[in-house]
Amino acid sequence: MSASLRSFPLPKASRPTWDDTWMNVARVRAARSPCSRDQVGAVVVSASNRIIDTGYNGPPAGWQPIHSDGCTAWCPRAAQAQLSHAHGLVQDYSDCYSLHAEANALMFSDRRLREGGTIYVTSGTCSGCAKLVANSGLARAVYATADRDISHRDSARWYDFLQDCGLEVLHYERPIA
């Protein structure tokens, strides 16, 4: 005797958008950053929504000292910012040992695969990363609204720059789960 299989309709779940999906991946990658001040993640996806590469901010691979003490122990820029809370961070990144998330994601990705794609970043952009993104072959850049002060980056200026270079720039304002 065979049992009949009854089907029950499942409740419709809210399916995340591609922007939600990739921004969540970027947030997970950000958690790998050894920076105790600002953990940032980035994901580069193709025009067909396939992951090309990811990155997070941190010093070059193999660079010592061990990162477990937090960036104020080994990064002159972070240490200076900690000493002068009133002045905050300066726009000059020349004394920071870390590479930014966008740079790490782009450095290891193949340009042919990312042409026309999108980069998702969990924070605002700086001048150096904006120039890399502008020349990357990507068509879109999606930046999460920062939950901390990033005025030292002057991101609005660099979003305008990216748009002037032909990229679509979106501000991701949905909560990241």
Side-chain angles (χ1 to χ4, degrees):
M1 191 180 284
S2 66
S4 65
L5 189 62
R6 292 179 56 193
S7 90
F8 296 95
L10 295 173
K12 291 231 178 205
S14 176
R15 187 173 181 202
T17 67
W18 283 118
D19 287 349
D20 294 335
T21 300
W22 301 130
M23 194 57 78
N24 282 326
V25 171
R27 174 69 94 197
V28 169
R29 291 299 285 152
R32 286 281 307 150
S33 171
C35 184
S36 55
R37 260 186 336 89
D38 194 10
Q39 293 181 309
V40 179
V43 177
V44 175
V45 299
S46 70
S48 60
N49 279 305
R50 301 286 181 220
I51 290 181
I52 303 301
D53 216 322
T54 65
Y56 56 86
N57 60 316
W63 185 80
Q64 296 299 324
I66 304 291
H67 318 313
S68 61
D69 296 330
C71 64
T72 55
W74 45 266
C75 176
R77 183 170 185 269
Q80 182 60 34
Q82 188 177 38
L83 292 174
S84 62
H85 284 350
H87 297 98
L89 292 170
V90 295
Q91 290 181 350
D92 178 22
Y93 288 91
S94 61
D95 66 347
C96 179
Y97 295 130
S98 290
L99 298 166
H100 288 180
E102 300 98 316
N104 273 321
L106 291 169
M107 182 184 323
F108 293 101
S109 67
D110 183 333
R111 183 183 177 95
R112 293 170 297 178
L113 298 175
R114 68 178 182 244
E115 289 279 342
T118 303
I119 189 166
Y120 293 87
V121 186
T122 63
S123 186
T125 195
C126 70
S127 61
C129 288
K131 290 181 270 186
L132 292 173
V133 170
N135 204 40
S136 67
L138 294 168
R140 295 175 69 227
V142 180
Y143 292 94
T145 303
D147 57 358
R148 64 207 160 280
D149 179 23
I150 58 166
S151 60
H152 62 279
R153 292 188 192 152
D154 197 11
S155 295
R157 173 184 177 196
W158 298 109
Y159 297 148
D160 290 343
F161 169 77
L162 289 170
Q163 289 173 329
D164 290 344
C165 292
L167 277 83
E168 177 185 7
V169 178
L170 300 172
H171 299 278
Y172 184 89
E173 295 181 6
R174 291 187 197 111
I176 298 175

